[in-house]
Amino acid sequence: MPRTFLPSRDGFAFVNSWPRQPAVTLPTPFGDIGVGNAEGGLCGGMVFAALDFWHAGTATPAERPAKDDPLYTFLVDRLIDSWHLPAGVVQYYQWMNLPDGDSSFTALGRRVLIERGVSWRTIRVQWAQISKDLDSGVPVPLGVVTIDSKDPRDLALNHQVLAVGYNRIGNRVTLRVYDPNRGRRDDTFIAFDTGAPARATTFGHNLGIGGNRVRGFFRAAYRPRRVPSPLGP
């Protein structure tokens, strides 16, 4: 098993900043989505690729690749993988359209649940799975939902990071993450309270997402891939 993932050592030395034109157009159930501009970036590709290098026991390259570089092509390919088409895109869109807290009404003095919100799905379902992997020393790629929108074009405003560890005091969890938008920083986090998941939960963070809030997150489907030669073994 490789050593613990440390962003200052195992993340890419360059941040997620690329040409404004789309790096790739993703065909989704809601139409084509251009990803790779100043808003979308290659966050998912960088997260998956950094984890690939970690699994391979190989240091991430220090130089930012040009568009004709094999590493750049690999990042774009891994970006497409990170969206897990079509199921992953559907999950992002579903969560974009969910309320933060559970929806319910009271009838005859009893609470009737209509729909679970993003907070409950994050804390009760996703976090239970993510924490088990982290306890085993395995980093976990996360899809981070940042937007409340019915417009499929806003899918590119969501984000992806890599969970690498956590601290817990009572119900308070501080999740340590590698965020390609912040680079090789070991102090990047998402913090939340697990005590009342049915209510809208505040997810504190210092992610590089332009001041947008974190509504919730889920485990992204990941399988390791061989890193490109001559960069890897």
Side-chain angles (χ1 to χ4, degrees), residues 119-169:
S119 296
W120 190 92
R121 292 167 189 252
T122 298
I123 295 169
R124 290 296 298 272
V125 179
Q126 297 295 323
W127 174 241
Q129 301 170 6
I130 294 163
S131 60
K132 288 181 180 179
D133 277 349
L134 294 176
D135 290 341
S136 299
V138 179
V140 183
L142 303 180
V144 181
V145 177
T146 70
I147 191 77
D148 179 356
S149 175
K150 298 184 182 299
D151 188 342
R153 292 172 295 183
D154 288 338
L155 280 162
L157 299 179
N158 295 305
H159 192 39
Q160 297 186 67
V161 300
L162 181 66
V164 299
Y166 69 97
N167 298 318
R168 182 166 191 159
I169 301 176

Side-chain angles (χ1 to χ4, degrees), residues 172-187:
R172 188 69 178 173
V173 173
T174 301
L175 180 61
R176 301 190 303 277
V177 303
Y178 165 57
D179 177 6
N181 289 359
R182 303 297 302 277
R184 285 181 163 175
R185 295 184 54 155
D186 294 330
D187 62 348

Side-chain angles (χ1 to χ4, degrees), residues 30-155:
F30 315 103
D32 291 347
I33 302 294
V35 179
N37 56 30
E39 293 176 326
L42 301 179
C43 55
M46 292 182 69
V47 164
F48 272 40
L51 191 51
D52 291 337
F53 278 95
W54 181 82
H55 277 293
T58 304
T60 53
E63 298 296 326
R64 179 188 303 278
K67 291 201 70 174
D68 58 352
D69 191 290
L71 176 60
Y72 185 83
T73 301
F74 185 67
L75 294 176
V76 173
D77 288 345
R78 294 305 268 152
L79 170 68
I80 297 172
D81 293 339
S82 75
W83 280 79
H84 189 48
L85 296 167
V89 171
V90 171
Q91 185 167 9
Y92 276 107
Y93 189 69
Q94 178 193 21
W95 282 39
M96 284 166 55
N97 286 272
L98 289 171
D100 289 330
D102 291 357
S103 298
S104 62
F105 66 93
T106 302
L108 302 177
R110 300 185 63 181
R111 178 175 173 270
V112 179
L113 177 68
I114 300 175
E115 189 169 41
R116 292 294 190 185
V118 172
S119 296
W120 190 92
R121 292 167 189 252
T122 298
I123 295 169
R124 290 296 298 272
V125 179
Q126 297 295 323
W127 174 241
Q129 301 170 6
I130 294 163
S131 60
K132 288 181 180 179
D133 277 349
L134 294 176
D135 290 341
S136 299
V138 179
V140 183
L142 303 180
V144 181
V145 177
T146 70
I147 191 77
D148 179 356
S149 175
K150 298 184 182 299
D151 188 342
R153 292 172 295 183
D154 288 338
L155 280 162

Side-chain angles (χ1 to χ4, degrees), residues 52-53 55-59 225-233:
D52 291 337
F53 278 95
H55 277 293
T58 304
R225 272 183 57 177
R226 181 172 180 149
V227 298
S229 297
L231 299 172

